[in-house]
Amino acid sequence: MSAADTPGWPVEPGSTALSVPVPEVDAVVRGWRGQYDTAAQGGGTAHVTVLFPFVPAARFGAAEQRRLRRLCAEHPPFVLEFPSFARFPGVLYLEPVPDYPLRALTKTVTEEWPEYPPYGGLFGDGLDPHLTVANSGGAAVRAAIEADLSPRLPITAPVTGLSLAVHDGERWREWLTFPLGGAPPEPGDAAAPVPRAAARAGTAPRRPRGVEHPEWAEHPERGRDARVSAPRLADRGGSRAT
């Protein structure tokens, strides 16, 4: 199934996503995610999203990079544990514990860039922190994944920085890293170059509308019954978000 055949958020060249990479979890869930998580099929490794959509790559120059490095320097590194699975409708994910450092990072970044609320503002302050393992395949597949991987839990992972990924029109690519608790940036630090394909991106944040997206179909903080919607890619073009 191609991205154009699935419902999801439209992702254009130059779209960015800020996340916590978790290679320790990726080593365990990679096989299943590669089959049943559309972000993995689009190049994304296992991660917990901090903010998506974020500033388009074409607008994320030296000043913006220094701003984010300064904010990350104010947050210390921490350790996450993934002890169990949980579900959104149509989605199987691992719960990160504790989640307050992740919420604090999202809050800090959105206060600095209020024009980019989590998930375009669909869920107020955003979804619960989560690491998606499967968002396709049906209930039987999700049950099989949980049965297969649960004996390998918990997984512990140190978090030392954030990763900014950029979509090049076909896949997600790791672009920049921002250490936690590091030295603040120097005023004259140069900007990292924007990937060539990503430089063609538009500059305005986009809000989804249209058909339901399984991962965003209900808001967990609102009793799991607040229905929302997202666009059909076949109508809008692009590929699916992380």
Coordinates of all heavy atoms in Angstrom, one line a residue, residues 128-165:
D128 N -0.9 12.1 24.3 CA 0.0 11.5 25.3 C 1.3 11.1 24.6 O 1.2 10.6 23.5 CB -0.6 10.3 26.0 CG -1.7 10.6 27.0 OD1 -1.7 11.8 27.5 OD2 -2.6 9.8 27.2
P129 N 2.4 11.3 25.2 CA 3.7 10.8 24.6 C 3.6 9.3 24.3 O 3.1 8.5 25.1 CB 4.7 11.0 25.7 CG 4.2 12.2 26.5 CD 2.7 12.0 26.5
H130 N 4.1 8.9 23.2 CA 3.9 7.5 22.7 C 5.0 7.1 21.7 O 5.4 8.0 21.0 CB 2.5 7.2 22.2 CG 2.2 8.1 21.0 ND1 1.8 9.4 21.1 CD2 2.2 7.8 19.7 CE1 1.6 9.9 19.9 NE2 1.8 9.0 19.0
L131 N 5.3 5.9 21.6 CA 6.2 5.4 20.5 C 5.4 4.4 19.7 O 5.1 3.2 20.2 CB 7.4 4.7 21.1 CG 8.5 4.3 20.2 CD1 9.9 4.3 20.9 CD2 8.3 3.0 19.5
T132 N 5.0 4.8 18.5 CA 4.1 4.0 17.7 C 4.8 2.7 17.2 O 6.0 2.8 16.7 CB 3.6 4.8 16.5 OG1 2.8 5.9 17.0 CG2 2.7 3.9 15.6
V133 N 4.2 1.6 17.3 CA 4.7 0.3 16.8 C 4.0 -0.1 15.6 O 4.5 -0.6 14.6 CB 4.7 -0.8 17.9 CG1 5.2 -2.1 17.3 CG2 5.6 -0.3 19.1
A134 N 2.6 0.1 15.6 CA 1.8 -0.4 14.5 C 0.6 0.6 14.4 O -0.1 0.8 15.4 CB 1.4 -1.8 14.6
N135 N 0.4 1.1 13.2 CA -0.9 1.8 12.9 C -1.6 1.3 11.7 O -2.4 2.0 11.1 CB -0.6 3.3 12.8 CG 0.4 3.7 11.7 OD1 0.7 2.8 10.8 ND2 0.9 4.9 11.7
S136 N -1.3 0.0 11.3 CA -2.1 -0.7 10.3 C -2.0 -2.1 10.6 O -1.4 -2.6 11.6 CB -1.4 -0.4 8.9 OG -0.1 -1.0 8.9
G137 N -2.8 -2.9 9.8 CA -2.7 -4.4 10.0 C -3.9 -5.0 10.7 O -4.1 -6.2 10.7
G138 N -4.7 -4.2 11.5 CA -5.8 -4.8 12.1 C -5.6 -5.2 13.5 O -4.4 -5.4 14.0
A139 N -6.6 -5.6 14.2 CA -6.6 -5.9 15.6 C -5.8 -7.2 15.9 O -5.0 -7.3 16.8 CB -8.0 -6.1 16.2
A140 N -5.9 -8.2 15.0 CA -5.2 -9.5 15.1 C -3.7 -9.3 15.0 O -2.9 -9.9 15.8 CB -5.7 -10.5 14.1
V141 N -3.3 -8.4 14.1 CA -1.9 -8.1 14.0 C -1.3 -7.4 15.2 O -0.3 -7.8 15.7 CB -1.6 -7.3 12.7 CG1 -0.2 -6.7 12.7 CG2 -1.8 -8.1 11.5
R142 N -2.1 -6.4 15.7 CA -1.6 -5.7 16.9 C -1.5 -6.7 18.1 O -0.6 -6.6 18.9 CB -2.5 -4.5 17.2 CG -2.5 -3.4 16.1 CD -3.2 -2.2 16.5 NE -4.6 -2.4 16.5 CZ -5.4 -2.2 15.4 NH1 -4.8 -1.9 14.2 NH2 -6.7 -2.4 15.4
A143 N -2.5 -7.6 18.2 CA -2.4 -8.6 19.3 C -1.2 -9.5 19.2 O -0.5 -9.8 20.2 CB -3.7 -9.4 19.3
A144 N -0.9 -9.9 17.9 CA 0.3 -10.7 17.7 C 1.6 -10.0 18.0 O 2.5 -10.6 18.6 CB 0.3 -11.2 16.3
I145 N 1.7 -8.7 17.7 CA 2.9 -7.9 18.0 C 3.0 -7.8 19.5 O 4.1 -8.0 20.0 CB 2.7 -6.5 17.3 CG1 2.7 -6.6 15.8 CG2 3.9 -5.6 17.8 CD1 2.4 -5.3 15.1
E146 N 2.0 -7.5 20.2 CA 2.1 -7.4 21.6 C 2.5 -8.7 22.3 O 3.4 -8.7 23.2 CB 0.8 -6.9 22.2 CG 0.8 -6.6 23.7 CD -0.4 -5.9 24.2 OE1 -1.4 -5.7 23.4 OE2 -0.4 -5.5 25.4
A147 N 2.0 -9.8 21.8 CA 2.3 -11.1 22.4 C 3.8 -11.4 22.1 O 4.5 -12.0 23.0 CB 1.4 -12.2 21.8
D148 N 4.3 -11.1 20.9 CA 5.6 -11.4 20.6 C 6.7 -10.5 21.3 O 7.7 -11.0 21.8 CB 5.8 -11.1 19.1 CG 7.2 -11.4 18.6 OD1 7.8 -12.5 18.9 OD2 7.8 -10.6 17.9
L149 N 6.3 -9.2 21.5 CA 7.3 -8.3 22.1 C 7.2 -8.1 23.6 O 8.2 -7.7 24.2 CB 7.2 -6.9 21.4 CG 7.5 -6.9 19.9 CD1 7.4 -5.5 19.3 CD2 8.9 -7.4 19.6
S150 N 6.1 -8.4 24.2 CA 5.9 -8.1 25.6 C 7.0 -8.8 26.5 O 7.5 -8.3 27.5 CB 4.5 -8.5 26.1 OG 3.6 -7.6 25.6
P151 N 7.4 -10.1 26.1 CA 8.4 -10.7 26.9 C 9.8 -10.0 26.9 O 10.6 -10.2 27.8 CB 8.6 -12.1 26.3 CG 7.2 -12.4 25.7 CD 6.8 -11.0 25.1
R152 N 10.0 -9.1 25.9 CA 11.2 -8.3 25.8 C 11.2 -7.0 26.5 O 12.1 -6.2 26.5 CB 11.6 -8.2 24.4 CG 11.7 -9.5 23.6 CD 12.1 -9.4 22.2 NE 13.4 -8.9 22.0 CZ 14.0 -8.7 20.8 NH1 13.3 -9.0 19.7 NH2 15.3 -8.3 20.8
L153 N 10.1 -6.7 27.2 CA 9.9 -5.5 28.0 C 10.3 -5.7 29.4 O 10.1 -6.9 29.9 CB 8.5 -5.0 27.8 CG 8.0 -4.7 26.4 CD1 6.5 -4.2 26.5 CD2 8.9 -3.7 25.7
P154 N 10.7 -4.7 30.2 CA 10.8 -3.3 29.7 C 12.1 -3.1 29.0 O 13.1 -3.8 29.1 CB 10.8 -2.5 31.1 CG 11.5 -3.5 32.0 CD 11.0 -4.9 31.6
I155 N 12.1 -2.0 28.2 CA 13.3 -1.5 27.5 C 13.7 -0.2 28.1 O 12.9 0.7 28.3 CB 13.1 -1.4 26.0 CG1 12.6 -2.7 25.4 CG2 14.3 -0.9 25.3 CD1 12.1 -2.5 24.0
T156 N 14.9 0.0 28.5 CA 15.4 1.2 29.0 C 16.3 1.9 28.0 O 17.1 1.3 27.3 CB 16.3 0.9 30.3 OG1 15.4 0.3 31.3 CG2 16.8 2.2 30.9
A157 N 16.1 3.3 27.9 CA 16.8 4.0 26.9 C 17.2 5.4 27.5 O 16.4 6.2 28.0 CB 15.9 4.2 25.7
P158 N 18.5 5.7 27.4 CA 19.0 7.1 27.8 C 18.6 8.1 26.7 O 18.7 7.8 25.5 CB 20.5 6.9 28.0 CG 20.8 5.8 27.0 CD 19.7 4.9 27.0
V159 N 18.2 9.3 27.1 CA 17.8 10.3 26.2 C 18.8 11.5 26.4 O 18.8 12.1 27.4 CB 16.4 10.8 26.4 CG1 16.1 12.0 25.4 CG2 15.4 9.7 26.1
T160 N 19.6 11.7 25.4 CA 20.7 12.8 25.5 C 20.5 13.9 24.5 O 21.2 14.9 24.6 CB 22.1 12.1 25.2 OG1 22.1 11.6 23.9 CG2 22.4 11.1 26.2
G161 N 19.5 13.8 23.7 CA 19.2 14.9 22.7 C 18.0 14.7 21.9 O 17.3 13.6 22.0
L162 N 17.6 15.7 21.1 CA 16.5 15.7 20.2 C 17.0 15.6 18.8 O 18.1 16.0 18.5 CB 15.6 16.9 20.4 CG 15.0 17.2 21.7 CD1 14.1 18.4 21.6 CD2 14.4 16.0 22.3
S163 N 16.2 15.0 18.0 CA 16.5 14.9 16.5 C 15.5 15.6 15.7 O 14.3 15.5 16.0 CB 16.5 13.4 16.1 OG 16.7 13.2 14.7
L164 N 16.0 16.4 14.7 CA 15.1 17.0 13.8 C 15.2 16.3 12.5 O 16.3 16.3 11.8 CB 15.5 18.5 13.6 CG 14.5 19.3 12.8 CD1 13.1 19.4 13.5 CD2 15.1 20.7 12.5
A165 N 14.1 15.7 12.0 CA 14.1 15.0 10.8 C 13.4 15.9 9.7 O 12.5 16.7 10.1 CB 13.3 13.7 10.9

